[in-house]
C-alpha cells in the first residue's frame, strides 16, 4: 500500500523546519513518502472577509490530488510536532472507506460555524454528539482512495464561503462530509492534541498541535515553545547543531516581534525575555 504524509510549509519559519524533521522521522518509521508543498496551487480570493481567513488553507485540496497517486494520505498542519514514539496511525485507523479527523466539537462548541455555512449554502442533516454538532478539526486528516470528500469540497465552493464563514475550509469540509453522507470517524485526541484539552502531559501525545497560541502564554511565544519541546523530544535523533540553529532563529524572531511591540530599549527587552520566557 502506497502512503504519503503531506504538509504545506511556505517560507523558512524555524517551527515549520522543525515540524518537517519530525514528519520525516515519522514517515520513515511508518513507510510513507513525505510530500512538502512550499507554494500555493489552489488559489482563493480573500476580499474583506468577515472572519480571519488565510488563502493557504485552500491547499488542503491537494489531498484529493495525492489520492490519485497514493492509497492513503495523512495531512498534517505545519504547526504539529510528531512525537518520536507515536504509533503507526495507518495501522491504528484502517477503514479505507472512512476519513479520520478529530471531533473538536465534542470539546468546543461550533454552533456558530454550523449556522454560518448553513446560512450560506443551505441546511443539512448535521450529526450531533452529546447534543453538540460534530465538527472535525482539519489540522490532521487521514484519507484513503475510497474517500469522496474532495469530489464535493472544491475550489469553487471554498471561494463561495471563504469571505463569509469562520474557518472556511474546515467548516466546508464538515458541511460536505455530512451533507453528502460520507463515512467518517473520529481520531483520538492523542493524534491531534491541542491546548483545548489542557496542558498536562501534552508532550506525551503523538501529534502535538500548536494551533493558535499553542502551549505558550501567547501567540508570539508559540514558535519558541515549539522549538523548546522539539529540542527535548528529538535530542539524539536530530543533530544538535541543527536543533540549536532552529532554536536560535526562533528566539531572534520572537525578540524582533517584542521589540516592535514595546517602546523600550532592545537590550532591556532582551534581558527581561531571557529571564521570563521559557526557551
Amino acid at each position: 500500500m502506497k502512503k504519503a504524509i503531506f504538509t504545506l510549509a511556505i517560507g523558512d519559519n524555524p517551527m515549520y523546519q522543525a515540524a518537517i524533521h519530525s514528519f520525516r522521522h515519522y514517515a520513515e518509521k511508518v513507510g510513507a513518502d513525505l510530500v512538502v508543498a512550499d507554494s500555493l496551487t489552489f488559489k482563493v480570493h480573500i476580499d474583506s472577509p468577515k472572519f480571519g481567513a488565510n488563502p493557504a488553507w485552500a491547499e488542503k485540496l491537494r489531498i484529493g490530488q495525492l489520492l490519485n497517486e497514493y492509497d492513503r494520505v495523512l495531512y498534517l498542519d505545519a504547526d504539529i510536532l510528531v512525537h518520536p514514539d507515536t504509533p503507526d496511525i495507518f495501522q491504528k485507523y484502517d477503514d479505507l472507506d472512512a476519513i479520520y479527523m478529530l471531533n473538536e466539537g465534542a470539546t468546543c462548541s461550533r454552533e456558530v460555524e454550523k449556522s454560518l455555512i448553513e446560512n450560506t449554502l443551505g441546511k443539512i442533516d448535521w450529526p450531533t454528539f452529546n447534543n453538540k454538532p460534530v465538527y472535525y478539526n482539519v489540522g490532521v486528516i487521514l484519507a484513503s482512495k475510497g474517500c469522496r470528500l474532495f469530489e464535493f469540497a472544491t475550489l469553487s465552493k471554498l471561494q463561495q464561503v471563504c469571505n463569509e464563514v469562520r474557518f472556511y475550509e474546515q467548516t466546508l469540509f464538515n458541511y460536505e462530509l455530512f451533507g453528502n453522507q460520507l463515512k467518517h470517524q473520529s481520531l483520538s485526541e492523542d493524534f491531534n492534541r491541542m491546548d483545548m484539552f489542557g496542558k498536562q502531559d501534552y508532550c506525551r501525545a503523538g501529534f502535538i498541535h500548536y494551533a493558535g497560541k499553542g502551549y505558550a502564554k501567547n501567540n508570539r511565544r508559540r514558535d519558541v515553545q515549539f522549538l523548546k519541546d522539539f529540542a527535548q523530544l528529538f535530542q539524539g535523533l536530530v543533530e544538535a547543531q541543527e536543533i540549536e540553529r532552529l532554536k536560535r532563529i526562533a528566539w531572534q524572531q520572537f525578540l524582533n516581534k517584542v521589540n516592535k511591540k514595546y517602546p523600550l530599549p532592545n537590550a532591556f527587552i532582551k534581558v527581561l525575555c531571557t529571564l521570563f520566557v521559557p526557551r
Side-chain angles (χ1 to χ4, degrees), residues 13-274:
N13 185 312
M15 178 179 69
Y16 295 169
Q17 294 179 56
I20 290 169
H21 276 298
S22 75
F23 298 171
R24 185 175 295 113
H25 181 272
Y26 190 62
E28 292 173 358
K29 178 178 177 178
V30 302
D33 293 340
L34 178 60
V35 180
V36 180
D38 58 6
S39 61
L40 299 182
T41 55
F42 294 90
K43 297 182 180 180
V44 293
H45 181 58
I46 306 294
D47 182 23
S48 302
K50 294 178 180 177
F51 305 90
N54 190 326
W57 296 347
E59 203 63 23
K60 294 182 181 74
L61 293 182
R62 192 172 171 194
I63 298 167
Q65 288 185 339
L66 288 170
L67 286 171
N68 293 324
E69 180 182 354
Y70 292 92
D71 298 296
R72 306 195 79 189
V73 174
L74 171 65
Y75 169 80
L76 298 173
D77 274 354
D79 58 357
I80 287 174
L81 181 58
V82 179
H83 193 291
D85 297 332
T86 304
D88 188 340
I89 191 173
F90 295 101
Q91 290 184 357
K92 186 174 178 64
Y93 297 97
D94 59 0
D95 186 340
L96 302 184
D97 294 321
I99 185 167
Y100 292 94
M101 296 174 283
L102 172 78
N103 177 22
E104 71 171 46
T107 302
C108 180
S109 176
R110 294 302 184 194
E111 289 279 1
V112 171
E113 289 73 18
K114 173 181 178 293
S115 297
L116 285 168
I117 198 161
E118 288 188 326
N119 289 340
T120 304
L121 298 179
K123 294 279 188 179
I124 62 169
D125 184 13
W126 198 294
T128 61
F129 179 78
N130 289 342
N131 297 317
K132 292 189 287 187
V134 173
Y135 185 90
Y136 289 113
N137 180 278
V138 297
V140 178
I141 301 172
L142 177 58
S144 305
K145 274 192 186 295
C147 172
R148 300 181 60 206
L149 174 62
F150 300 98
E151 295 177 27
F152 304 103
T154 62
L155 186 60
S156 60
K157 284 279 186 70
L158 285 178
Q159 184 60 63
Q160 192 174 349
V161 302
C162 66
N163 296 305
E164 303 294 328
V165 176
R166 192 175 182 218
F167 309 132
Y168 70 88
E169 97 291 13
Q170 180 165 274
T171 306
L172 179 71
F173 284 11
N174 279 273
Y175 181 88
E176 296 296 347
L177 192 65
F178 307 143
N180 293 286
Q181 299 181 334
L182 304 179
K183 191 172 184 180
H184 53 90
Q185 294 189 40
S186 184
L187 295 170
S188 75
E189 67 180 61
D190 191 57
F191 285 98
N192 191 350
R193 179 65 157 79
M194 293 178 282
D195 65 353
M196 67 172 66
F197 301 115
K199 293 184 179 181
Q200 185 174 359
D201 294 331
Y202 75 89
C203 274
R204 295 183 182 179
F207 296 169
I208 311 165
H209 194 175
Y210 293 73
K213 67 179 182 179
Y215 299 90
K217 186 176 180 180
N218 54 51
N219 184 264
R220 288 189 302 277
R221 299 186 184 186
R222 179 181 68 156
D223 292 12
V224 173
Q225 184 65 50
F226 190 105
L227 267 296
K228 176 178 180 288
D229 297 339
F230 171 73
Q232 292 174 345
L233 292 175
F234 281 84
Q235 184 178 10
L237 296 174
V238 174
E239 289 186 5
Q241 189 175 17
E242 171 67 357
I243 291 175
E244 288 306 312
R245 181 185 74 85
L246 294 175
K247 286 182 67 177
R248 186 168 58 251
I249 296 170
W251 180 248
Q252 187 57 55
Q253 290 180 350
F254 165 71
L255 290 178
N256 292 343
K257 292 177 186 176
V258 178
N259 287 337
K260 288 180 180 179
K261 182 175 176 62
Y262 297 104
L264 297 169
N266 290 357
F268 181 61
I269 288 175
K270 184 175 182 179
V271 170
L272 290 178
C273 290
T274 302

